[in-house]
Amino acid sequence: MIWWLLAFAHGDLDQKGDDFVPCVTSIHSFASAFLFSIEVQVTIGFGGRMVTEECISAIIILIVQNIVGLVINAIMLGCIFMKTAQANRRAETLIFSKHAVIAVRNGKLCFMIRIGDLRKSMIISATVRMQVVRRTATNEGEVVPLDQIDIQIDNPVGTNGIFLVSPLIICHIIDKNSPLYELSAEELQHEDIEVIVVLEGVVETTGITTQARTSYLSEEILWGQRFVSTVTEEEGMYAVDYSKFGNTVKVPTPVCSAKKLDEDGGPPRFKLHDFSPTGSVRRRHLSLKLKQQSICQ
């Protein structure tokens, strides 16, 4: 339409003599103006139609249309790529257990969660990171309301990388370097902390980085319980029962802190406890509770 109006205003649509120089050659109707606009938009070559030096406005319109065309192409390609990648849906298939648990594992008090992948296509180079967010104070008296403390994951490989072929229990040993070292079962329920878990990896089909994360408040950490096994062997093959993904069972666990256990020489022999402290559910004035999300890069 703009090219047709330009030709109409300059008089290119009327029959002129041989000495007349139009703004755009070979434009005699709206159809020819439309064809010239398509040639400019997709840069397929002008053929018999071309911009001349007669009109500065035609040159400006040509530059503006080229810029707008590049922007539209970039937006369309980005939308199509993001739609086909579906990174948000891929992150929704990465699931976390509703609760975290603390129990004795291999003679040590451990903080554990369970993660799983519902799709058959695997997450490449999957890594898990954990952080504890709590209110702390420095030696100089400065109060840090949201101090983020990294906690180490127990992995024989020595890194945070995992092979997510089946639901895995991610374990953190509560040792002297852990921010949970001095917390007992009762103190944990009254402590204003939050454990953030971040799972990152590369989608196998698209090669896009995806991230899923969740967090656990102190009320969502079950002391003295462990996760029920979800993997069984049937006719020489392993089967995963995701209906038991978040199920836990009580196990004998001391209610004292890991620091107290180390001072006493390790976990003693004890019976199964039924620890249910009162006032475990309370109103929180500030929380970083994160829902499962995804970030694509």
Side-chain angles (χ1 to χ4, degrees), residues 204-222:
E204 183 180 21
T205 55
T206 61
I208 299 178
T209 301
T210 184
Q211 183 185 95
R213 60 179 179 262
T214 189
S215 65
Y216 301 92
L217 301 176
S218 56
E219 294 88 355
E220 297 172 327
I221 302 176
L222 306 179

Side-chain angles (χ1 to χ4, degrees), residues 54-73:
E54 179 69 16
C55 301
I56 300 298
S57 57
I59 299 175
I60 295 176
I61 293 175
L62 177 65
I63 296 174
V64 172
Q65 184 172 0
N66 284 329
I67 295 175
V68 173
L70 291 175
V71 173
I72 293 176
N73 290 337

Side-chain angles (χ1 to χ4, degrees), residues 152-173:
Q152 184 63 37
I153 297 175
D154 180 29
N155 194 333
V157 181
T159 63
N160 293 338
I162 59 174
F163 186 56
L164 198 57
V165 66
S166 65
L168 296 179
I169 296 177
I170 306 301
C171 176
H172 161 64
I173 298 177

